[in-house]
Amino acid sequence: MSTETEVQQVVRASTRKESKKKGQDRSEAGLIKRFKGDGFRYRAKLIGVDEVSAARGDKLCQDSMMKLKGIAAGARSKGEHKQRIFLTISFGGIKIFDEKTGAMQHHYAV
């Protein structure tokens, strides 16, 4: 009798844990579904666009970010604000849209 009660408690506990998972689907199929079509959209502020010589490299990205942040700090001292954008990431590439007008500013194919 006691083993039957223990089994029921274990079953109840496992179903509670499963029902509490309401986060994003991290499976491979879930990630593919998430980036298909229009992709995933983020709100952001654009500090600048800089061409880089290579597609990878932490040092290269860090140097580019520091350069753009310096330009943004100069603009901020003049009273200018960063541009608000939507950054859309999909299998088709990375797209940058202006938040106010909705016009596409950049498209980087993947």
Side-chain angles (χ1 to χ4, degrees), residues 33-52:
K33 181 179 159 186
R34 184 175 170 192
F35 290 102
K36 273 189 176 177
D38 291 336
F40 203 76
R41 184 170 151 173
Y42 298 96
R43 287 183 66 190
K45 291 183 181 179
L46 185 67
I47 61 170
V49 178
D50 190 24
E51 294 290 327
V52 292

Side-chain angles (χ1 to χ4, degrees), residues 18 28 31 33 40 48 56-57 59 76 81-82 98:
E18 291 172 7
E28 186 175 346
L31 292 174
K33 181 179 159 186
F40 203 76
R56 298 184 189 268
K59 178 75 172 127
R76 190 170 45 246
H81 294 280
K82 296 179 200 120
D98 184 59

Side-chain angles (χ1 to χ4, degrees), residues 49-92:
V49 178
D50 190 24
E51 294 290 327
V52 292
S53 59
R56 298 184 189 268
D58 291 337
K59 178 75 172 127
L60 183 69
C61 293
Q62 185 179 8
D63 291 342
S64 180
M65 284 292 295
M66 294 307 291
K67 179 178 137 185
L68 292 172
K69 282 187 174 188
I71 294 170
R76 190 170 45 246
S77 67
K78 295 178 186 174
E80 298 175 8
H81 294 280
K82 296 179 200 120
Q83 181 182 8
R84 293 181 182 266
I85 59 165
F86 289 119
L87 181 70
T88 305
I89 302 172
S90 67
F91 286 124

Side-chain angles (χ1 to χ4, degrees), residues 32 34-40 88-97 104 106-110:
I32 290 172
R34 184 175 170 192
F35 290 102
K36 273 189 176 177
D38 291 336
F40 203 76
T88 305
I89 302 172
S90 67
F91 286 124
I94 299 171
K95 298 177 186 176
I96 299 175
F97 294 95
M104 185 188 323
H106 301 284
H107 178 240
Y108 302 100
V110 177

